[in-house]
Amino acid sequence: MSIAVRKSLEKAVLGASESDDWELARQEWSHVSLIFNGLGGSNCVCGKAIKYAYELLNQKTGRRLFPIGSDCVRHFCNVDLESELEEQERLLKKLNHLTKKLEQQTSRLSGIKDLDESLLHWLWQKGAFKAEKGNGFKAEKDYQLFLEVFKGGSWAKATPDKRARMDKVLDQFIKPFLLGRFDEEVYLVQLGKEKIEFEQELREKAELERQKKEKVLADLPQGFRLALGPAEKAYRTYFAWDKDLTKEERRWEETLYGKNQNERLFKTQQVQKEIQKGKRIDAQDYAERKQKQVWLVNSSFRAFPDDKARLGRLVAYFRRTGEIPFQRDFFSESLIDFFFKMKVFEFEIHPESVVTFLKMKLGTPVSHMEKIWLYDILEKDIKPFLERFVL
């Protein structure tokens, strides 16, 4: 490695590390992961052209370094990194073989030679398996299906319906992903539309069944119970729910998820707006964005030092675990107001109602459905904000 290349690499590493000293900074990085799109040809952080790229994760700052070539990874002189790199290079050979077969329109996969557990696990981690209506919006179902079939060592052992599903997943998701032709933006917009319409349809049909059942029960002896109808069974199965919603829970469900056509239309447009907002923010200058965020946090929490500390703990915990704990140690009423001020909930049907809901449920017992709604708000609204938070 030339001196110029080495200096470029070390500058990039120090810029994303906590330490300003190379010997200390290089020890912060771990978890080599292959970036693969079937195209090759990119530039390493050191500036050199590379055919295959990897990324590294900084354990202290939570930042990622990519794309980086294998030679630069070895420059870290870290035994664990080199061991992981060797595993990723073995995986790369399998991916090359699989990609070439998928490029041939008439080729069929033949079992363990094409896919194995390590390769399927990599595809799962990289998001090649996608949630959609065909798998009940649970991408893991397709991943488990592939594991089940290829663990046996042969594609031919799959039943016709399983093969049909796997053919669809390969053609619509895995193949475009490996060949670098998958349009994530189009997929997310379509997914948001399908999921919202599907869930709203489940809610409406279940509510109609409940209303009919209540009318029938009014003419029956007190305490008499009727069996669940198919719509309510489907509703409960989808949300893993096993009890009737209370009147209060039904009111909150209508508020959070809408009860008329205009509100549902608003929800379907939400994903596209969020993608466009993310692109605008990512296009901003990093230093300028950081300076603005420092000013906003300091001005917002000047009178609330405890809440500023909560925000710091929340960001650190999220970067370490990828989870958002809805607890008093990490959230408060004023911190929720801060998120509202930052327009975190701007794409919800009723942002003010979301704030009220979060404040009501903070530090109090929640029902199963309320847990689902809370998780949806944390994942859909607060998580993107924390991902873009640079402090």
Side-chain angles (χ1 to χ4, degrees):
M1 179 180 291
S2 67
I3 296 177
V5 171
R6 178 173 58 79
K7 286 185 176 180
S8 297
L9 170 65
E10 293 181 359
K11 181 180 178 181
V13 172
L14 292 175
S17 301
E18 185 177 79
S19 175
D20 293 330
D21 178 74
W22 166 253
E23 291 301 322
L24 295 175
R26 69 183 180 86
Q27 298 174 24
E28 297 178 16
W29 296 87
S30 62
H31 297 301
V32 182
S33 180
L34 174 67
I35 303 173
F36 184 87
N37 60 8
L39 300 177
S42 57
N43 288 326
C44 175
V45 292
C46 72
K48 286 181 61 178
I50 51 176
K51 186 175 181 181
Y52 299 112
Y54 301 84
E55 69 175 357
L56 301 179
L57 172 67
N58 189 300
Q59 294 284 3
K60 292 190 176 181
T61 65
R63 296 184 64 181
R64 296 184 180 274
L65 192 68
F66 66 93
I68 183 169
S70 57
D71 288 343
C72 285
V73 173
R74 291 188 172 92
H75 182 66
F76 281 73
C77 299
N78 184 309
V79 175
D80 292 335
L81 280 184
E82 292 185 15
S83 177
E84 289 185 15
L85 179 62
E86 289 176 1
E87 290 183 13
Q88 295 295 304
E89 288 177 333
R90 286 193 291 270
L91 180 66
L92 177 60
K93 292 180 181 179
K94 297 176 184 178
L95 280 169
N96 278 326
H97 171 74
L98 176 60
T99 304
K100 288 176 182 177
K101 290 209 70 172
L102 291 176
E103 283 179 325
Q104 302 168 12
Q105 298 293 333
T106 58
S107 69
R108 299 302 299 269
L109 300 183
S110 57
I112 203 69
K113 293 180 181 178
D114 298 310
L115 285 170
D116 59 19
E117 288 184 63
S118 64
L119 189 49
L120 287 169
H121 183 65
W122 183 88
L123 290 168
W124 166 248
Q125 285 187 316
K126 294 300 179 182
F129 292 96
K130 300 293 183 181
E132 55 125 20
K133 194 171 182 178
N135 54 32
F137 302 101
K138 295 180 180 178
E140 190 173 2
K141 288 180 66 176
D142 287 333
Y143 170 54
Q144 294 296 338
L145 171 61
F146 273 75
L147 276 180
E148 174 193 338
V149 172
F150 281 93
K151 226 172 182 179
S154 175
W155 172 276
K157 291 182 180 179
T159 58
D161 58 328
K162 289 181 178 179
R163 288 190 65 174
R165 178 61 194 169
M166 294 168 76
D167 276 329
K168 181 178 180 181
V169 173
L170 278 168
D171 186 57
Q172 293 188 4
F173 301 117
I174 294 180
K175 181 177 178 179
F177 171 81
L178 290 175
L179 299 180
R181 299 171 188 166
F182 189 80
D183 194 323
E184 189 75 19
E185 184 172 335
V186 171
Y187 160 73
L188 288 174
V189 172
Q190 184 63 27
L191 174 66
K193 185 173 183 293
E194 283 185 356
K195 190 172 183 181
I196 290 166
E197 290 176 349
F198 177 76
E199 291 179 355
Q200 195 67 33
E201 185 180 358
L202 280 180
R203 290 188 176 95
E204 289 177 351
K205 288 182 177 179
E207 183 59 29
L208 285 174
E209 270 192 5
R210 283 194 288 261
Q211 291 174 2
K212 290 179 181 178
K213 188 168 67 174
E214 287 173 359
K215 288 181 180 179
V216 173
L217 285 171
D219 299 327
L220 294 174
Q222 189 174 5
F224 195 88
R225 296 184 66 84
L226 293 176
L228 292 178
E232 197 162 2
K233 281 183 180 178
Y235 173 87
R236 294 186 180 194
T237 300
Y238 179 82
F239 289 104
W241 178 243
D242 60 356
K243 297 179 182 177
D244 287 322
L245 290 178
T246 65
K247 289 183 179 179
E248 180 69 11
E249 287 171 336
R250 290 187 193 179
R251 184 179 70 81
W252 273 116
E253 186 175 46
E254 287 183 350
T255 301
L256 296 173
Y257 294 96
K259 56 185 177 181
N260 60 52
Q261 188 174 0
N262 290 334
E263 288 176 334
R264 292 198 297 273
L265 178 62
F266 181 87
K267 294 288 281 186
T268 60
Q269 294 171 339
Q270 168 185 312
V271 177
Q272 179 66 35
K273 291 180 179 179
E274 287 176 331
I275 292 172
Q276 292 171 350
K277 178 182 178 181
K279 286 185 175 180
R280 289 196 304 271
I281 293 175
D282 291 339
Q284 295 175 358
D285 179 72
Y286 180 84
E288 181 182 347
R289 180 151 56 105
K290 184 173 181 178
Q291 185 179 19
K292 183 178 180 181
Q293 287 188 2
V294 170
W295 180 84
L296 284 170
V297 169
N298 288 338
S299 61
S300 299
F301 295 108
R302 186 171 289 111
F304 307 99
D306 290 343
D307 291 318
K308 183 177 179 181
R310 278 191 179 92
L311 178 60
R313 287 197 298 270
L314 177 62
V315 173
Y317 187 89
F318 172 71
R319 287 178 177 170
R320 189 172 68 252
T321 66
E323 299 176 357
I324 306 174
F326 191 66
Q327 303 168 5
R328 284 281 182 184
D329 287 344
F330 301 94
F331 281 86
S332 67
E333 285 78 3
S334 60
L335 185 53
I336 293 172
D337 287 333
F338 169 74
F339 287 137
F340 177 72
K341 180 182 175 183
M342 295 295 102
K343 298 184 177 181
V344 169
F345 312 114
E346 67 176 318
F347 299 127
E348 293 294 342
I349 294 175
H350 302 293
E352 299 86 355
S353 298
V354 172
V355 171
T356 303
F357 177 72
L358 291 177
K359 288 182 178 180
M360 284 181 60
K361 300 306 171 184
L362 181 60
T364 62
V366 293
S367 68
H368 177 77
M369 286 304 294
E370 288 169 344
K371 283 183 181 179
I372 292 174
W373 300 334
L374 281 170
Y375 178 80
D376 190 50
I377 293 169
L378 296 177
E379 283 289 305
K380 185 161 45 64
D381 299 325
I382 296 181
K383 182 178 179 179
F385 175 81
L386 295 180
E387 287 176 335
R388 293 191 285 258
F389 205 65
V390 297
L391 301 182

